[in-house]
Amino acid sequence: MRNEGCFPTMDLLRSEPMQLAQLIIPIESAHRSISYLGDLGLFQFKDLNADKSPFQRTYAAQIKRCGEMARTLRLFKEQMVKAGVSPSTLSTRDNNIDLESLEVKLRELEAELLEINANNEKLQHSYNELLEYKLVLEKVGEFFSSAQKTAVAHQRELQNQTTAEGTIDSPLLLEQETTTYPLKQVKLGFISGLVHREKSIPLERVLFRATRGNVFLKQTAVEHPVLDPLTGEKVDKNVFVVFYSGERVSSKILKICDAFGANRYPFSDDLSKQFHIITEVSGRLSELKTTIDVGLLHWRTLLQTIGYHYEQWSLLLKKEKSIYHTLNMLSINVTKKCLLAEGWCPVFATSEIHKVLQQATLDSSSQAGAIFQVLQTKDSPPTYFCTNKFTSPFQEIVDAYGVAKYREANPGVYTIITFPFLFAVMFGDWGHGICLLLAALYFIIRERKFSSQKLGDILEMAFGGRYVILMMALFSIYTGLIYNEFFSIPFELFGPSAYRCRDPSCRDATTIGLIKVRDTYSFGLDPKWHGSRSELPFLNSLKMKMSILLGVSQMNLGIILSYYNAKYFENNINIRHQFVPQMIFLNSLFGYLSLLIIVKWCTGSKADLYHVIIYMFLSPTDDLGENQLFVGQKFLQLVLLLSALVAVPWMLLPKPFLLKKQHQERHQGQSYSLLYSAEEDPLEPESQSIPLDHEDFEFSEVFVHQLIHTIEFVLGAVSNTASYLRLWALSLAHSELSSVFYDKVLLLAWGFNNTIVLIVGIVVFISATVGVLLLMETLSAFLHALRLHWVEFQNKFYEGDGYKFDPFSFALIADEDEL
């Protein structure tokens, strides 16, 4: 839980002391009191009306009003997005505005905006219709003009044939036929309009079948998409004209056109009328365009005015809605003159709560002041760690596993150091560490800007963990200097190498070909070891043993913290019969192995530690021979082996019998002072999982539980130590991948002596380094460090079955996106 204004206790390992408080608030100052408590953000209200539905609560009408205003603000937000207007974050705060005036203002603005939208829609609909009408006039006019020219040419050809004289080919009866049967001209009707292009072919087929082929359809495509008057969307359309004869056919065509969603427009075959209509339509289009532009300008201006105050109105509405939701959690007393509230708050916040309640009484001119009193309870308090922007992401890493129960030892304090350090052990390269450092510094420098922006999911996660990345980068630079690796390249940063080649042929030889000519390299791995055949076996040995040392140290820290928990809760049983045998068992085996590693490093012995540990169990009485590292080692191994064997029944047997004895003493009246509830028993914090019913004590169930716990610890000590070898494996994998990219990509491209190949090689090297080593390997090392903390470290002492302190805070409400 982050709170910049908190005053935490000096005990960083424990959550803040909490208390259950009762507030008695007069009704006239209730709203202002809750508002001031929301500004303070240190009081978690309990719902005293849990048996009532939302509609049965006192302030349901006010919440409904807030919901209606939230709907209006969402409408404004949609319109601003449509217009490309962003809410201003630099608006002047109007502190005099309240919920009632905001409601009136929003209602007026909504009515004005809806009226503008309705007018703009009508104007746009008319404009789109006239635009389609103009297209029909142009395209159909071209049809008629083309048809008229064709008819005139055909008539002239026919006249030339009928006026031919004295030719043998002239029909003898032509004159008689033309005078006896004169040509009858039929007047055809026509319908014109536009139809969707994908519907044009089906329309033609349906018209042909419905009229049995007694129509003539002519259509052409419009070059550009047009705005449909009904939907307002741009679609591809065709202009069509249908010629027909008869009223019955006309009614069929009209029905078919309506069924296909075709827009019909009138057309005159008179050229003078066509010109007049086109001129009139063009004039109306120009007028509508001007009117629409003015309307859109007015619409955009109104939205800019709304956007200038949108953030303030949105925040005010969120606050008011949350205040009324909180007021609904309070109960009204019989006289209905005051409200009763209960909730949790930190002990250090008592004086601050008194101050804000007194200020609310003065500001609301209430005759009676609010009353604050502490209640005694057996309920488990929430967990509250007072963190800041640096420690908050580390605490979130712990909370993702489970929230600490009240006053339980907090692993987040150690996670600040151990998590980035274990990451760096797997990611050790000071070149890659510098890249991570630059990324973290970029987020930190632009922290204020990014905090006010909405980022994507991945970028939001990276920005939230910017200080975690910073610590991981710093430790990666440190371990990279120890490994002496800069993108897999060694440098003589701390002086010259202590070795040199005995002869020119020793470059690829083992270290037998190297002779020591000066003092040992002052810090980290000697650069001469890089490139020798013995480099990988040496790094294998170094990193493997270092992983074991780190793992045993962290597991010992976990057991010490379990002792710290037991001592705090005055659990003497766990101190004597859990902490002591656990420490003995772990350090008799793996603590001794760590000691052997350190002694071997200090003495330079060539003893085989694998042989020592294996035969410590198989043949503990045999002579160690050349594997002996110090005097008395054999006797010490026998003592440690016997201690480990004794520790197992010590963990298993005493605790169930002592718990049974305690239970019997309680019911015999010999220790009434130990009558606690199961969840508050200071002698047994594990009472939630071990039943201690006063009427029935199941010894077999307690014994089985303790047996499972003992087996889990014994097997876990072995498996967890082996699990820490992932530090060694991932470190070598990272180093080898970096070396492959450098040798097989960059150096290989450099050897071609070709500029293009070199550029391609550099691009591939950078892409592989960023994509694989800086992204994938970073994520892999992060997840493995996370597992080591959650499983191998925290399972020694951390239960994580608490719940977070969730205060009523306007700071948290302001971060919410939805109204």
Side-chain angles (χ1 to χ4, degrees), residues 188-231:
L188 297 177
F190 59 89
I191 297 173
S192 58
L194 285 93
V195 68
H196 286 262
R197 187 166 298 169
E198 63 269 13
K199 297 181 181 179
S200 59
I201 300 302
L203 174 65
E204 184 175 358
R205 292 174 180 174
V206 172
L207 286 175
F208 182 83
R209 293 175 181 175
T211 60
R212 298 182 180 180
N214 291 323
V215 294
F216 176 73
L217 175 67
K218 182 69 175 179
Q219 58 180 332
T220 184
V222 180
E223 292 81 3
H224 304 288
V226 297
L227 288 173
D228 189 83
L230 296 178
T231 62

Side-chain angles (χ1 to χ4, degrees), residues 38 196 217 259 442 489 510 658 666 683-684 713:
H196 286 262
L217 175 67
Y442 173 77
I489 307 171
T510 64
L658 289 174
R666 291 175 183 177
L683 295 178
E684 187 51 60
F713 179 83

